[in-house]
């Protein structure tokens, strides 16, 4: 029997949006890592999960790609909130989101962390942001001042959750 239909492999098997597929190709991603193989299908279905993998295994792509795939760009509402323990990690994760979303027109990604000009963050939030990546302290500042709301609960990602507990996230 001749089977001419090949089973998709690599990142093709996830059926990601074409713009995301282009970004993945631009970054020369060919074969998903173990964490990506396990997490991407679950997040594409909007399932809750807890993932753990070593540094350098592609955890950010594992959650960023499916969250971007499911994003409603036409909505001006916050849909993804990523919390990180440090500003350096907030910047790094935010930059990764920008790389993955570079072919998606209109996606607004905002890093929110202490030490950065609050007025710029307020203006961006006022204009509408789809994805906010920030430290818990600055995110709490925005929630208290009502410049950021979680009326329609967004997807929430805790990056390095064990470290977040050490910096007082449990309060």
């Amino acid at each position: 029997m001749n089977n001419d239909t090949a089973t998709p492999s690599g990142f093709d098997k996830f059926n990601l949006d074409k713009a995301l597929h282009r970004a993945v190709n631009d970054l020369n991603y060919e074969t998903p890592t173990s964490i990506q193989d396990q997490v991407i299908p679950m997040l594409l279905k909007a399932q809750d999960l807890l993932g753990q993998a070593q540094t350098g295994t592609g955890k950010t792509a594992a959650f960023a790609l499916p969250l971007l795939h499911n994003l409603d760009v036409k909505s001006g509402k916050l849909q993804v909130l990523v919390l990180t323990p440090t500003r350096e990690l907030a910047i790094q994760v935010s930059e990764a989101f920008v790389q993955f979303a570079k072919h998606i027109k209109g996606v607004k990604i905002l890093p929110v962390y202490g030490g950065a000009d609050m007025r710029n963050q307020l203006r961006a939030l006022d204009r509408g942001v789809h994805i906010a990546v920030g430290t818990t302290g600055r995110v709490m500042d925005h929630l208290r001042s009502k410049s950021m709301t979680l009326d329609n609960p967004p997807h929430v990602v805790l990056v390095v959750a064990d470290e977040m507990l050490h910096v007082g996230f449990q309060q």
Side-chain angles (χ1 to χ4, degrees):
M1 183 163 112
N2 185 3
N3 187 356
D4 288 337
T5 54
T7 304
S9 62
F11 283 86
D12 292 340
K13 68 183 171 189
F14 301 126
N15 293 317
L16 294 171
D17 181 87
K18 289 178 184 176
L20 291 171
H21 189 71
R22 282 181 57 203
V24 165
N25 285 337
D26 291 349
L27 294 166
N28 295 317
Y29 287 16
E30 293 178 11
T31 305
T33 63
S34 178
I35 189 79
Q36 293 164 348
D37 247 342
Q38 295 172 53
V39 168
I40 291 173
M42 292 179 74
L43 288 181
L44 285 171
K45 295 176 188 169
Q47 294 177 317
D48 292 341
L49 65 95
L50 174 66
Q52 182 178 3
Q54 296 204 324
T55 301
T57 57
K59 291 183 296 292
T60 303
F63 65 79
L65 292 171
L67 291 172
L68 285 164
H69 176 85
N70 290 330
L71 202 68
D72 179 3
V73 180
K74 293 177 183 166
S75 167
K77 294 187 178 190
L78 180 65
Q79 297 168 53
V80 177
L81 176 61
V82 181
L83 296 172
T84 68
T86 66
R87 80 179 76 177
E88 294 79 16
L89 193 52
I91 293 167
Q92 179 184 336
V93 171
S94 180
E95 289 172 351
F97 265 98
V98 169
Q99 283 186 314
F100 298 134
K102 73 180 181 178
H103 299 295
I104 303 173
K105 190 174 177 119
V107 174
K108 296 178 185 172
I109 301 161
L110 178 68
V112 290
Y113 53 88
D117 188 345
M118 184 80 151
R119 291 171 299 187
N120 290 340
Q121 293 175 11
L122 289 169
R123 279 192 291 275
L125 287 166
D126 224 24
R127 289 189 302 265
V129 170
H130 299 107
I131 300 166
V133 182
T135 56
T136 55
R138 182 53 64 98
V139 168
M140 290 302 297
D141 290 343
H142 283 294
L143 291 172
R144 278 195 277 292
S145 70
K146 307 247 188 280
S147 54
M148 181 186 290
T149 62
L150 303 178
D151 296 336
N152 188 6
H155 297 282
V156 177
V157 177
L158 303 178
V159 177
V160 197
D162 57 337
E163 195 172 318
M164 300 274 280
L165 293 172
H166 293 151
V167 295
F169 178 70
Q170 73 271 19
Q171 295 176 354

